Amino acid sequence: MSAIVLLLLGLAGMALGYLFYSRFIAQRIFKLDPDFRTPAHEFEDGIDFVPTNRFVLWGHHFTSVAGAAPIVGPAIAVIWGWLPAFLWVVFGTIFFAGVHDMGAIWASVRNRAKSVGALTGDVVGRRARSLFMIVIFLVLLMVNAVFGVVIARLLVGNPGAVVPVWGAIAVALVIGQLIYRRLLPLGLVSVLGVIALYALIYVGPQVPVSLPDSTFGLSANASWILLLFLYAAIASVLPVWMLLQPRDYINGLQLFVGLILIYAAVLIVNPAIVAPALNTDLPPGTPSLIPLLFVTIACGAISGFHGLVASGTTSKQLARETDARFVGYFGGIGEGALSLASIILATAGFASLADWQAVYHAFGQGGEAAFVNGGARILEQGIGISAEVSATMLTVMAALFAGTTMDTGLRLQRYIFQEWGEIYQIKWMGKALPATLLAVGTCLVLAFGAGGADGSGGLLIWPLFGTTNQLLAGLTLLVITLMLIQRQRPARYTAIPLAFLLVMTLLGLLLQLRSFFIDKNWFLFGLGSVVLVAAVLVALECVAALRRSRQVAP
């Protein structure tokens, strides 16, 4: 099987989805209105509410939602063979992710840019809102605590990535000034930003940076985690145009350059996909493809975290409601394209089937290492970039995505505390600084309280991320569907993905609970049970709200 065939089929499918399906959903279902006054204009404050160029906002939305998940998830899921992962990524992007992201932005913009949790209170009811926000808080806690660990390990394991990862922050600060203070043309600023970023990637391996093995009794890994949270806390309270927006924008451009290089290398080398289409020789202990495929690949098909970003930061910066199609749906396309590259590199970046099987000898293997190593091999053969620089470039790509997700995740967690302060009339919690300290504090308590001096406590609850995240996506679709029904518009375009996702995710969660019970892992069993009960109760509240709306409808 030629990797070129897979590449062209996947890109063609997603392009058609954007050109035709997204236009239909935007115009006929959500009825996006270019004259609607968005919250970015209505509440403009120069900090969180900032009307933004749609290309810049696309960069923010896409890189915030991407993280490392669209790379890691598909690179793990190919253990079942490349075909199931390919089909889920392509069709999931077209019919699930794009509609979900665009719908979450639309729902939030039509409700004063409220988060999906808060607007649940308006659409469904206060009890559902409280339950939903528990699920949201857990997802954000998992993302922030775990991504801190992931980035720290990348920096410890790849000292050459330290300069480009931290240097990108300085580049972003300059880019923000050039766009908003110097008012330079966006095209010129974009070129300067990309050149600066790739210059850092070139310099990084020549100036590796490592922290001491022990600083005040903390390992290098733990020291990086503390520095990352200190940075994220500062970033989360700065005006979005100063760091968050430009950092995400140039990272989005970096992705395009990286994807162009990867796709060009694939077209030149034309590597064969050595992995089987359907793997019938699965390693012992590999879970069943159904339902776990739809939980393992989240970002790149559909992800609940997208709804948090769409209704958390993106909706506050949307200049025109019609931009939701480009920012939201095309953001999903960007993730799908990245996941497609991950599938190709993790199945065609090996010399033989035996080499591939040696890596994929157990479930959970492959992942980011398969993406980086396979990509470095193809880039060296196709473009002539040395394996060392290629590996650094791909590592930096993963680390920057994880970093931008952590930036936005901590800001969103701050919003959650502020909304709780507003809901329960706790005035001090509604302020930015105390809410930020609470957000960082809960993450650090999990990281160091549960994980010890190494700071890896977030990994303890990570096994629940996939199912909790996908439940969140289903519940977001549930709220959007309810809004459409209340407006007497066709709802099957969100209801069908919703039904499929809820069934698969609930099955996955039940299987996980059974596994936790057998292993006597009472912590994860209890936490998973809380998530399951909360999700079921929110769904029941939505059904009740739907009945009420039908009773009052003319």
Side-chain angles (χ1 to χ4, degrees), residues 217-228:
L218 294 175
S219 65
N221 192 67
S223 298
W224 277 127
I225 291 174
L226 288 175
L227 288 172
L228 286 164

Side-chain angles (χ1 to χ4, degrees), residues 424-450:
Y424 298 108
Q425 299 183 341
I426 306 173
K427 290 185 178 178
W428 64 268
M429 195 186 288
K431 297 178 180 177
L433 183 58
T436 301
L437 293 176
L438 283 174
V440 174
T442 51
C443 292
L444 291 179
V445 165
L446 175 62
F448 290 94

Side-chain angles (χ1 to χ4, degrees), residues 140-226:
L140 289 173
L141 187 63
M142 291 176 192
V143 168
N144 293 333
V146 170
F147 276 30
V149 177
V150 169
I151 302 170
R153 288 183 175 179
L154 283 171
L155 296 178
V156 170
N158 303 275
V162 173
V163 168
V165 166
W166 288 95
I169 298 170
V171 173
L173 288 168
V174 174
I175 293 295
Q177 294 294 323
L178 294 179
I179 293 176
Y180 287 98
R181 290 288 187 255
R182 301 295 179 182
L183 302 178
L184 292 185
L186 187 60
L188 174 61
V189 174
S190 303
V191 171
L192 293 175
V194 170
I195 290 174
L197 200 56
Y198 276 90
L200 289 169
I201 291 173
Y202 177 75
V203 170
Q206 301 174 50
V207 191
V209 177
S210 299
L211 292 181
D213 292 338
S214 178
T215 306
F216 300 114
L218 294 175
S219 65
N221 192 67
S223 298
W224 277 127
I225 291 174
L226 288 175

Side-chain angles (χ1 to χ4, degrees), residues 82-412:
W82 60 263
L83 184 59
F86 174 77
L87 293 176
W88 174 229
V89 164
V90 174
F91 289 107
T93 296
I94 296 171
F95 297 107
F96 287 65
V99 177
H100 171 275
D101 287 20
M102 180 166 53
I105 295 173
W106 165 75
S108 178
V109 165
R110 286 283 165 170
N111 287 276
R112 301 161 60 89
K114 288 184 178 178
S115 73
V116 68
L119 72 88
T120 303
D122 298 340
V123 178
V124 185
R126 295 173 62 184
R127 193 164 45 197
R129 177 190 62 193
S130 300
L131 293 167
F132 202 173
M133 289 182 78
I134 292 174
V135 179
I136 291 172
F137 179 79
L138 285 174
V139 168
L140 289 173
L141 187 63
M142 291 176 192
V143 168
N144 293 333
V146 170
F147 276 30
V149 177
V150 169
I151 302 170
R153 288 183 175 179
L154 283 171
L155 296 178
V156 170
N158 303 275
V162 173
V163 168
V165 166
W166 288 95
I169 298 170
V171 173
L173 288 168
V174 174
I175 293 295
Q177 294 294 323
L178 294 179
I179 293 176
Y180 287 98
R181 290 288 187 255
R182 301 295 179 182
L183 302 178
L184 292 185
L186 187 60
L188 174 61
V189 174
S190 303
V191 171
L192 293 175
V194 170
I195 290 174
L197 200 56
Y198 276 90
L200 289 169
I201 291 173
Y202 177 75
V203 170
Q206 301 174 50
V207 191
V209 177
S210 299
L211 292 181
D213 292 338
S214 178
T215 306
F216 300 114
L218 294 175
S219 65
N221 192 67
S223 298
W224 277 127
I225 291 174
L226 288 175
L227 288 172
L228 286 164
F229 272 109
L230 175 63
Y231 154 73
I234 295 171
S236 73
V237 294
L238 289 176
V240 290
W241 64 267
M242 190 176 289
L243 177 59
L244 193 67
Q245 263 188 15
R247 177 168 154 80
D248 293 350
Y249 177 60
I250 59 171
N251 283 345
L253 293 177
Q254 179 228 178
L255 166 79
F256 263 119
V257 175
L259 281 181
I260 289 171
L261 292 176
I262 290 170
Y263 288 162
V266 169
L267 291 173
I268 294 170
V269 177
N270 189 19
I273 295 177
V274 299
L278 287 171
N279 189 7
T280 56
D281 186 22
L282 291 168
T286 302
S288 61
L289 184 151
I290 298 175
L292 267 299
L293 171 70
F294 307 102
V295 174
T296 304
I297 300 180
C299 295
I302 184 171
S303 164
F305 186 73
H306 293 202
L308 301 184
V309 176
S311 66
T313 55
T314 304
S315 62
K316 294 179 175 62
Q317 302 169 63
L318 199 76
R320 295 196 316 160
E321 191 180 54
T322 47
D323 289 349
R325 178 187 170 218
F326 179 77
V327 175
Y329 196 99
F330 199 62
I333 295 290
E335 277 215 333
L338 181 58
S339 292
L340 179 62
S342 181
I343 291 171
I344 291 173
L345 299 186
T347 56
F350 296 83
S352 65
L353 174 61
D355 289 344
W356 183 83
Q357 289 174 325
V359 172
Y360 285 88
H361 60 85
F363 183 71
Q365 300 300 308
E368 185 183 285
F371 173 81
V372 171
N373 296 331
R377 178 173 176 268
I378 291 176
L379 281 171
E380 185 175 34
Q381 291 178 356
I383 308 293
I385 303 174
S386 74
E388 183 185 24
V389 174
S390 297
T392 300
M393 184 182 76
L394 296 172
T395 300
V396 169
M397 182 186 290
L400 288 181
F401 281 144
T404 51
T405 299
M406 189 177 169
D407 290 354
T408 305
L410 203 61
R411 184 178 285 260
L412 292 173

